[in-house]
Amino acid sequence: MIRWGWVLIVAFSVVGCEVVESLDSRPSPDAMAHLVLIADVQVGAMRLARAAGESTTGNFNDFSEIQDQRERINRAMGLLRAGDSSTGLSPLPASMHLWLDNVEHIWHRIEESAEQLLALDEPVLHLAEQIGEYSALVPRLQAAIDGVLRELIASGATIHEVYMVSRQLVLADRMLRRAGQIMSGGVGTTVAADALSRDSATFRRVLEGLVSGDEQWQMTAIDNKDALSELQEAITLYEKIGDGIDAVLGTFPALMSAREAADSIRLESEFLADQAAHLAGAYADSTRRRR
């Protein structure tokens, strides 16, 4: 049960001085409860906007928060519209229905986007997990590639072969950066996904060229035993990383859909909070005039 002290604080923060006047004139318990429910809509909208904005970075708690705030707003909207026979709470007066209709209309749009976003939680969270695993493997991969490079230099490899292997160190770091850009979002997300796909294909081809040779890229198969040992370690690591990169690229369309839904929720939630404030102000004025 909400304490009355908290009710007063919420009501004051929602509609300012006009509500203070109505509180001073001791509005009915139903009026106070209605104002608190409207405040629930406002607070829920703000929290929903924040959670939606952060959910696509792969945080499970944000998806949980979206569901919690969705239930909170649905409950408040239901009580404002229909009241509660179990507690004797009356519905919001008919004179406020035009305001309430507007708030409900906005909320319905938000809820559709919330349903879409919540349905995509699994691929988004899996994507974040894959990037985390990749991040942990990159230092080991770079160490193995560095070992190959050192052995090739010691065995008198050509400048071109040394260059091709040394570039793998840069590609490994760049792919990690691309994956991070995909996860964090922004205007360069699609460009980062395309670049990640190209870098991954290049990295894989160089590894294959070191094993079997690649005439087009002027690479001969490695025959240095120690270099081959380091190369096998790099290949084993990249098989794990490559699966993760494939998963990132395969999940990219779902991530973009989730981000689109999250953007819609953020924008509409701000509008919802604003319109709920107008409803609260109109209701406070109406309550004061009736007394």
Side-chain angles (χ1 to χ4, degrees):
M1 191 69 181
I2 301 176
R3 293 178 297 180
W4 281 108
W6 170 240
V7 170
L8 293 172
I9 292 172
V10 172
F12 177 81
S13 65
V14 172
V15 293
C17 296
E18 292 180 347
V19 177
V20 172
E21 289 183 25
S22 63
L23 292 177
D24 289 341
S25 59
R26 299 182 182 275
S28 69
D30 276 6
M32 180 67 76
H34 290 152
L35 287 171
V36 173
L37 289 170
I38 297 171
D40 268 351
V41 173
Q42 284 187 277
V43 173
M46 291 184 287
R47 290 184 177 177
L48 188 61
R50 182 204 59 78
E54 297 180 6
S55 64
T56 55
T57 62
N59 190 332
F60 173 81
N61 291 332
D62 289 315
F63 283 100
S64 179
E65 177 75 354
I66 289 170
Q67 183 58 39
D68 289 345
Q69 297 310 317
R70 179 187 178 191
E71 293 173 358
R72 175 184 190 170
I73 295 173
N74 269 328
R75 175 184 176 278
M77 299 289 280
L79 291 173
L80 287 169
R81 174 63 71 181
D84 186 351
S85 59
S86 66
T87 62
L89 176 67
S90 64
L92 203 64
S95 60
M96 294 293 105
H97 282 188
L98 185 61
W99 294 93
L100 183 59
D101 289 346
N102 187 40
V103 172
E104 285 179 333
H105 182 65
I106 300 167
W107 170 239
H108 290 156
R109 294 200 302 265
I110 294 173
E111 191 166 28
E112 287 180 3
S113 295
E115 287 179 1
Q116 181 184 1
L117 181 54
L118 289 170
L120 294 169
D121 64 340
E122 185 174 336
V124 171
L125 293 173
H126 180 65
L127 177 58
E129 181 182 358
Q130 291 291 335
I131 292 176
E133 292 177 358
Y134 178 28
S135 301
L137 289 174
V138 163
R140 292 172 56 192
L141 175 64
Q142 289 178 316
I145 293 295
D146 186 60
V148 174
L149 182 61
R150 291 175 183 277
E151 292 297 336
L152 287 178
I153 293 173
S155 63
T158 67
I159 292 177
H160 180 71
E161 288 172 332
V162 170
Y163 163 72
M164 295 298 288
V165 174
S166 64
R167 192 171 65 161
Q168 296 289 82
L169 295 170
V170 177
L171 281 175
D173 185 69
R174 195 162 72 187
M175 286 187 292
L176 179 59
R177 180 161 45 86
R178 304 290 193 202
Q181 287 175 330
I182 291 171
M183 200 71 233
S184 62
V187 293
T189 303
T190 301
V191 173
D194 291 340
L196 177 61
S197 179
R198 291 194 302 271
D199 288 347
S200 177
T202 298
F203 196 98
R204 184 178 284 110
R205 182 170 175 177
V206 171
L207 289 180
E208 293 171 352
L210 292 172
V211 174
S212 305
D214 189 318
E215 184 176 351
Q216 184 179 358
W217 281 15
Q218 302 174 33
M219 296 177 64
T220 58
I222 290 178
D223 57 8
N224 179 295
K225 181 179 178 180
D226 292 331
L228 280 171
S229 176
E230 295 285 359
L231 178 59
Q232 188 55 54
E233 172 68 9
I235 291 172
T236 299
L237 288 168
Y238 192 71
E239 285 175 353
K240 299 177 182 178
I241 289 173
D243 289 343
I245 291 175
D246 290 342
V248 169
L249 295 173
T251 309
F252 182 68
L255 177 64
M256 293 302 288
S257 295
R259 194 158 285 143
E260 182 179 348
D263 289 343
S264 177
I265 290 171
R266 285 207 315 272
L267 292 173
E268 293 279 14
S269 291
E270 292 178 8
F271 190 34
L272 176 64
D274 182 60
Q275 292 304 304
H278 288 315
L279 169 60
Y283 186 47
D285 282 342
S286 173
T287 300
R288 186 177 63 248
R289 286 195 300 269
R290 288 198 303 268
R291 298 191 63 82

